[in-house]
Amino acid sequence: MTTIPGGRTATADDRATSPAPAASAPLTSAPAASAPAADPTTAELTRLLLGPDHERIHAPWQRVLADPRMRTDPAAGTADRIAATYRRLRRINRAVDPAALATDPRALTALHEWTGPLDGALVVVAGIHYNLFLGSLLDHDPHEKRPLGPYLAMERIGTFLCTELGHGNDATALRTTAVYDRTDRTFTLHTPDAGAQKFMPNTGPAGGPKSAVVAARLLVDGRDHGIFLFLTPLTDAAGPLPGVTVRPLPRRPGNPVDHCLTSFDEVVLPHEALLTGEHGRLGPDATFTSALGSKRKRFLTSIGRVTLGKLCMSAAAVGAARSSLAVAIRYAHHREVTGARADRRIPVWAHRSHHGPLLDAAATAYAMTALHRATVERWTGRDDTGPAEAVAAERQVAVAKGWITWQARSLIIECRERCGAQGLLPVNGISPLAMDIEGTITAEGDNLALWAKAGAELLLTESAPPATVPDGGPDDPAALQHLLHAAEHLHLGRARTLLRQAPSGDGLRRWNTASPAALAAVSAHAERTAGAALLALAEQATDPQARSLLLDLHRLFALRRVGAASGPLLSEGLLTAEQVRELPELVERALARLADRGRQLVDAFALPEEFLATIPIAGPDYQRAFDHPDAHWNVADRAAQSA
């Protein structure tokens, strides 16, 4: 139970929200996260959502979410909140094997999934240190003069400097240079102009000394070999090192991070600072060798960790969305309003206008989770497949990141609205997520840019749906998936037609003509893929009730998307007029079947009770959080009891 400032006397849980000192005990000393004993159906839903390896992958991070020492203090000042974020990061680091975490995509994404509801700033700094920084070091050639010990022990925090003030989605054009001196075998790292300043990395003084992997253009004897990463010390206990300038950026919305502009004035780096691999190595005689002839491919290989970063952003969005939905649905079950009779009180959940949007959100949250799991598995197993599948897996990562983070934004806003004014209060755990989710939409590649690239690829690769239409009509899961595939195919067909009809000789004009339809195709592709992943969960269910619930969630999810595409589907003869008229009734039936299962659907998310207990409106006694022991009604009650 928590309280607002000036409310009742704080409980032990309330006091535990204060930032813990740096020397406090590691996470391994925290008790296991608790939850009420689940009925077989809820337990089966949890198993399907979290996967068979839940105890290894998710349980440790559920304990992080449950640990009172990991909670934020929204009343603290910006500097104190940033410092507390780094203390929480070090607490995590003491409880894990950092190298193992950085090389395990399932565990790394789970870290983001369970810290997403807790602290968006922790998501940022953990993802940068473990994935972009430490992961990049581990993915490249090791070097005896480049020991990992200080970074594994977090004696130095790692960060990642790629994006420049003037180069974001076109990072291949970045202007930071690393000029090689063959005489003393060093590199000179330099920022040539204002537009080349590294933009947004967490390079401020909070958290202690920091190092970075810096993306810079490798120049040897005047020849540009492309962009590579260079390990660069940035700061020590006294501040920026010679030649390094760090200037804080204005604070962004949401949980604060020490975002800065960072530049370099002729900073000399040793030969081992260059991170090398098959994509590029520089020999003792300054001979450059690479298995890749393309500078663009060398750059993309150097920053390969960005792809896993997209999965991490999807994971954080999934976790934030599920947490918001759990709070909103729990609140809807115990927030009462006057019923049809003045003497009767009913929960707001009883109204279809209230629970309908939240059940739609639940269907989307389940589909988001299923798509994320399927995408992580596909990406993790890509090395066992051919080059074409590896490309397709990377495209799915980009498509899923865009769809999941955008859906999470819409879902969180819906949950905030359904909680009314209470949803605006940070203590109720939704409004901060609405701000934090914006970072996941932009980080590791702006969603629209990612989808534009995916749309161009789908125009060349995606195939038509099977010619045989499944029986059963638009209420049948297989038929719904076929219709989702058909909708995607129609968008792609229109994009291809527009591309062919556009005047030749102007590539940008041709793409501008076709891109709206191509982007619509990417959205439809994401919806089809998410629907298929959700349907696959239903097919894996061994509990009949869990299977029925998942099928209804899939039905609701797919019917909404088929309804939105019903015009083109009708015009192409893929739906009849009668079937189109029937769609709203099919949606209504699905909602009616799910209406009594709202709590069960979010209980299956397995959010720790210790975490939910810190959110006033997540519990039935939420009004106590806004009470005060010296209020006149409490004084009168105590007087009456003592009389």
Side-chain angles (χ1 to χ4, degrees):
M1 186 64 183
T2 191
T3 186
I4 60 170
R8 62 176 177 78
T9 303
T11 66
D13 278 345
D14 299 330
R15 292 188 291 272
T17 61
S18 299
S24 54
L27 290 169
T28 47
S29 67
S34 63
D39 63 273
T41 297
T42 305
E44 175 73 346
L45 291 173
T46 300
R47 182 188 70 82
L48 293 167
L49 283 171
L50 301 185
D53 204 7
H54 158 253
E55 283 301 317
R56 184 182 74 85
I57 299 298
H58 294 282
W61 305 116
Q62 287 174 299
R63 290 193 287 273
V64 169
L65 191 59
D67 191 338
R69 299 167 299 177
M70 297 297 290
R71 293 171 197 152
T72 62
D73 179 6
T78 297
D80 289 340
R81 292 177 68 185
I82 293 173
T85 293
Y86 284 103
R87 287 197 295 271
R88 287 191 288 274
L89 178 64
R90 285 192 164 88
R91 189 186 296 282
I92 287 175
N93 199 65
R94 292 194 294 271
V96 301
D97 178 338
L101 175 61
T103 53
D104 184 344
R106 297 181 184 90
L108 195 56
T109 53
L111 159 63
H112 289 73
E113 186 172 339
W114 293 97
T115 54
L118 185 67
D119 179 6
L122 181 59
V123 167
V124 171
V125 299
I128 291 173
H129 179 83
Y130 289 117
N131 179 48
L132 296 177
F133 176 80
L134 188 55
S136 293
L137 292 178
L138 291 166
D139 288 350
H140 287 77
D141 293 335
H143 197 290
E144 60 182 8
K145 293 184 178 180
R146 199 170 62 221
L148 299 180
Y151 316 118
L152 297 175
M154 279 196 180
E155 295 166 7
R156 299 188 67 83
I157 297 287
T159 186
F160 184 83
L161 278 62
C162 184
T163 298
E164 295 180 349
L165 183 60
H167 303 96
N169 291 317
D170 66 336
T172 53
L174 64 80
R175 292 172 48 76
T176 301
T177 58
V179 179
Y180 185 62
D181 185 335
R182 63 170 61 238
T183 301
D184 57 10
R185 301 186 66 216
T186 60
F187 301 96
T188 300
L189 187 66
H190 188 64
T191 303
D193 52 50
Q197 295 174 94
K198 295 300 183 181
F199 181 69
M200 289 287 284
N202 57 316
T203 53
K210 293 178 181 175
S211 292
V213 286
V214 180
R217 198 169 294 281
L218 173 60
L219 302 176
V220 181
D221 297 333
R223 183 175 179 181
D224 181 356
H225 290 288
I227 298 165
F228 290 82
L229 297 180
F230 294 81
L231 178 61
T232 307
L234 299 177
T235 60
D236 59 16
L241 295 172
V244 179
T245 299
V246 177
R247 294 188 294 124
L249 284 165
R251 181 182 165 183
R252 63 169 178 78
N255 287 296
V257 178
D258 54 326
H259 292 301
C260 297
L261 285 166
T262 308
S263 58
F264 306 96
D265 183 11
E266 306 288 341
V267 174
V268 177
L269 301 174
H271 187 272
E272 62 270 16
L274 172 63
L275 302 192
T276 59
E278 292 297 321
H279 62 296
R281 294 187 176 96
L282 193 63
D285 60 352
T287 299
F288 177 81
T289 59
S290 175
L292 302 175
S294 163
K295 292 180 186 177
R296 177 178 176 80
K297 290 183 178 179
R298 294 172 193 165
F299 170 62
L300 294 177
T301 302
S302 293
I303 63 165
R305 277 284 167 154
V306 169
T307 300
L308 181 51
K310 294 180 178 70
L311 285 172
C312 291
M313 293 302 99
S314 296
V318 164
R322 291 203 309 255
S323 176
S324 298
L325 186 61
V327 171
I329 288 182
R330 288 167 69 105
Y331 183 50
H333 278 79
H334 54 245
R335 171 68 171 182
E336 294 185 341
V337 294
T338 303
R341 291 169 39 183
D343 62 346
R344 186 182 175 207
R345 303 282 289 175
I346 61 173
V348 292
W349 180 262
H351 290 277
R352 179 75 94 234
S353 57
H354 196 97
H355 68 240
L358 291 177
L359 288 172
D360 275 318
T364 300
Y366 271 73
M368 289 164 59
T369 303
L371 175 60
H372 173 65
R373 297 276 180 266
T375 305
V376 170
E377 292 307 309
R378 188 175 188 184
W379 171 252
T380 302
R382 73 195 184 284
D383 291 338
D384 299 328
T385 59
E389 169 57 21
V391 171
E394 185 164 355
R395 179 170 61 247
Q396 181 169 323
V397 170
V399 171
K401 186 259 185 180
W403 186 79
I404 288 171
T405 56
W406 271 327
Q407 293 299 310
R409 173 204 271 163
S410 298
L411 188 155
I412 291 168
I413 290 173
E414 183 68 50
C415 291
R416 203 293 303 158
E417 289 188 14
R418 298 286 64 75
C419 292
Q422 289 280 10
L424 295 171
L425 302 180
V427 72
N428 284 323
I430 297 178
S431 59
L433 301 182
M435 294 292 98
D436 289 338
I437 201 67
E438 297 299 325
T440 69
I441 289 169
T442 299
E444 320 299 16
D446 181 81
N447 282 357
L448 190 60
L450 296 177
W451 274 27
K453 179 177 181 292
E457 292 178 0
L458 289 176
L459 288 176
L460 301 175
T461 60
E462 195 59 26
S463 59
T468 303
V469 179
D471 296 329
D475 198 35
D476 175 73
L480 285 169
Q481 282 301 124
H482 186 274
L483 289 169
L484 292 177
H485 198 165
E488 173 190 351
H489 185 62
L490 291 175
H491 286 303
L492 285 171
R494 175 170 171 75
R496 290 175 180 130
T497 298
L498 291 170
L499 199 61
R500 288 193 299 268
Q501 292 176 346
S504 60
D506 187 342
L508 178 59
R509 183 178 177 185
R510 294 184 71 210
W511 173 245
N512 284 343
T513 301
S515 61
L519 289 169
V522 177
S523 182
H525 178 80
E527 291 169 349
R528 172 174 69 89
T529 309
L534 178 54
L535 187 55
L537 287 190
E539 292 169 348
Q540 296 168 31
T542 57
D543 178 84
Q545 186 61 54
R547 175 181 172 83
S548 177
L549 285 171
L550 289 168
L551 287 174
D552 273 330
L553 288 170
H554 173 268
R555 188 173 287 110
L556 181 58
F557 174 84
L559 283 168
R560 291 294 194 192
R561 276 75 186 171
V562 168
S566 59
L569 293 171
L570 175 64
S571 68
E572 294 296 323
L574 296 165
L575 281 174
T576 66
E578 179 60 32
Q579 287 173 329
V580 172
R581 284 191 289 269
E582 186 186 11
L583 291 176
E585 177 59 28
L586 295 177
V587 168
E588 176 60 27
R589 292 177 196 168
L591 288 171
R593 288 191 295 269
L594 291 167
D596 292 334
R597 300 290 185 170
R599 273 297 303 265
Q600 186 173 40
L601 291 174
V602 296
D603 286 348
F605 295 161
L607 290 165
E609 286 299 313
E610 296 89 342
F611 169 72
L612 292 169
T614 69
I615 299 172
I617 62 172
D621 59 345
Y622 69 95
Q623 293 183 21
R624 288 184 58 229
F626 301 90
D627 200 352
H628 194 284
D630 295 330
H632 64 270
W633 51 86
N634 289 322
V635 173
D637 285 346
R638 288 196 297 271
Q641 291 171 10
S642 62

